[in-house]
Amino acid sequence: MAAEAVDPPHRYKFPLSKVPRLPYDDPQAQRLISAQQPVVLTGSGLVDSALHWNLDYLSDNMANTQFTVYQSDNYYFKYYEARKIPQQKDFVSPTIQMQMSFPEFVEKLKEAQCSKKHWLYLQQPLTEGVGDKIVQDFVSFNWRWISKQQKENNWGPLSSNLLLVGMAGNITPVHYDEQQNFFAQLRGVKRCLLFAPDQFKSLYPFPVYHPHDRQSQVNLENPNLEKFPKVLELKGFEATLHPGDVLYIPIYWWHQIESLPQKGVTISINFWYKVRNSCQQTVTYPLAASQKIAIMRNIEKMVTDALGDINEVAPFMRTMVLGRVD
Ligand SMILES: O=C(O)C(=O)[C@H]1CC[C@@H](C(=O)O)C1
Ligand SMILES: [Zn+2]
């Protein structure tokens, strides 16, 4: 039988170099992690004890837990902070957040795959309440290796492991996180786009107090070039993750994660690590872009608190920077 024709991955309007792909114990991989550069690690065995996870296994072994599931009318799942919505009068949530059991999720998934009217994304921190088999798989992760990474790179504590079960075609639009991240692929194929923190001028972040804080205002697949002309100056990286691969996403690095269409349901688990208490972080010159982002965020928060209205921040900052009183 002829293989089903697979559409080529979307071609973006900016160059994408390949993220290095190295054995996890290659000294070069260690150097990239220490330098906070992205790298795809192979052979780590980090989540080998969970590579057999599929929808049936998870339904059978997580039946008594309620899961957060997002529903979107398109295949985008742009994250938003609900607590910041009251400050943004005209904000419209791009997704509906629901709670349901895993078997209910599988049911809705099948309906959505047939109707093609909406998309679903289960995103839930793995905590207690899952079945014994899941606990057994979880404790059998390669904690020795990842804890060594955490220690050697002076990262803070593990904050969470987000379980991600997505439909083929789902896209998490480009954003950054304030945590170090080992992103492990269990099932299906994901295409990841990454941009260094110094690309923030070309990614037009939302204001810090906006519900879409840390997200880009730009739709990379269909950018509004009048509004966001610097998108054409973007220089990015891309990595394709297969089961067993682990992508290191450095803190403040922008990333967009795509569950490849026609490659079936995807299952991933991330390992988010907080940074050590920032007052211990010495400021080094020249300032790294990641330090600039952290400082800019703090300034924006202080100015917003001082002005008391998020809509006053941009004009004030322009006046301050341009030295002109508008
Ligand atoms: O792990 C991260 O940093 C994320 O952004 C996750 C949120 C959605 C996930 C995805 O695979 O689409 C990635
Ligand atoms: Zn992220």
Side-chain angles (χ1 to χ4, degrees):
M1 184 174 74
E4 187 187 317
V6 176
D7 303 334
H10 181 84
R11 273 185 60 75
Y12 287 94
K13 294 180 168 53
F14 39 78
L16 291 168
S17 316
K18 290 286 178 218
V19 172
R21 184 181 171 85
L22 295 165
Y24 81 109
D25 51 1
D26 183 320
Q28 176 55 12
Q30 202 49 58
R31 278 192 290 274
L32 287 168
I33 296 171
S34 311
Q36 302 202 53
Q37 297 291 316
V39 55
V40 176
L41 303 170
T42 59
S44 69
L46 178 61
V47 293
D48 281 7
S49 57
L51 291 183
H52 60 290
W53 287 8
N54 58 29
L55 297 181
D56 291 341
Y57 182 85
L58 294 178
S59 291
D60 295 346
N61 292 286
M62 298 217 263
N64 307 324
T65 314
Q66 286 293 299
F67 288 90
T68 299
V69 174
Y70 295 95
Q71 177 174 301
S72 173
D73 290 342
N74 50 49
Y75 49 82
Y76 291 113
F77 289 81
K78 185 186 268 188
Y79 176 76
Y80 59 91
E81 283 183 70
R83 69 184 178 85
K84 294 182 179 175
I85 293 178
Q87 301 165 69
Q88 198 65 28
K89 296 287 165 280
D90 56 350
F91 182 74
V92 177
S93 305
T95 58
I96 302 167
Q97 184 175 329
M98 304 181 282
Q99 295 294 325
M100 64 185 78
S101 72
F102 206 94
E104 277 173 285
F105 167 66
V106 174
E107 215 36 60
K108 283 188 178 299
L109 196 62
K110 291 197 170 83
E111 285 162 24
Q113 285 164 332
C114 295
S115 74
K116 297 200 189 320
K117 286 207 186 74
H118 53 255
W119 281 255
L120 296 173
Y121 215 151
L122 180 147
Q123 301 189 6
Q124 174 78 23
L126 269 181
T127 53
E128 62 283 341
V130 294
D132 294 348
K133 279 190 175 174
I134 302 295
V135 172
Q136 189 48 48
D137 297 338
F138 183 84
V139 297
S140 305
F141 287 167
N142 188 348
W143 292 106
R144 187 183 48 73
W145 171 77
I146 202 168
S147 301
K148 183 165 166 280
Q149 292 299 325
Q150 174 191 9
K151 194 157 160 278
E152 284 179 358
N153 294 295
N154 196 27
W155 293 354
L158 176 72
S159 65
S160 68
N161 294 100
L162 199 59
L163 171 65
L164 299 146
V165 184
M167 277 173 71
N170 281 6
I171 291 185
T172 297
V174 62
H175 68 281
Y176 67 87
D177 300 302
E178 296 178 273
Q179 302 194 69
Q180 303 286 7
N181 184 358
F182 277 121
F183 185 85
Q185 190 60 10
L186 298 181
R187 183 166 292 275
V189 184
K190 275 185 173 172
R191 181 189 190 192
C192 308
L193 309 184
L194 288 99
F195 305 90
D198 64 7
Q199 302 277 304
F200 68 90
K201 290 194 194 79
S202 304
L203 285 163
Y204 302 86
F206 280 93
V208 168
Y209 274 69
H210 191 284
H212 282 321
D213 174 26
R214 295 183 294 107
Q215 318 291 307
S216 166
Q217 298 179 66
V218 183
N219 174 338
L220 293 184
E221 283 190 309
N222 182 22
N224 175 339
L225 295 176
E226 285 76 56
K227 224 173 150 188
F228 310 119
K230 290 194 177 74
V231 168
L232 296 177
E233 296 167 21
L234 272 174
K235 286 184 178 41
F237 298 85
E238 77 172 309
T240 301
L241 302 183
H242 297 269
D245 289 344
V246 175
L247 169 64
Y248 168 50
I249 306 176
I251 185 169
Y252 295 120
W253 271 68
W254 297 85
H255 48 287
Q256 172 156 308
I257 317 273
E258 309 178 357
S259 293
L260 283 189
Q262 296 149 347
K263 287 277 183 185
V265 164
T266 55
I267 305 179
S268 317
I269 290 185
N270 73 13
F271 294 69
W272 265 322
Y273 289 88
K274 294 185 192 313
V275 286
R276 282 231 172 279
N277 188 320
S278 51
C279 68
Q280 291 162 359
Q281 309 262 337
T282 50
V283 174
T284 52
Y285 294 97
L287 274 181
S290 52
Q291 283 174 310
K292 288 181 189 170
I293 303 279
I295 295 167
M296 286 193 288
R297 289 183 62 84
N298 288 334
I299 290 172
E300 198 172 329
K301 285 174 187 170
M302 284 190 290
V303 169
T304 309
D305 292 347
L307 298 179
D309 175 353
I310 63 170
N311 300 305
E312 294 298 328
V313 176
F316 177 86
M317 303 277 265
R318 262 195 295 279
T319 304
M320 188 171 75
V321 167
L322 301 175
R324 259 189 309 109
V325 179
D326 288 338

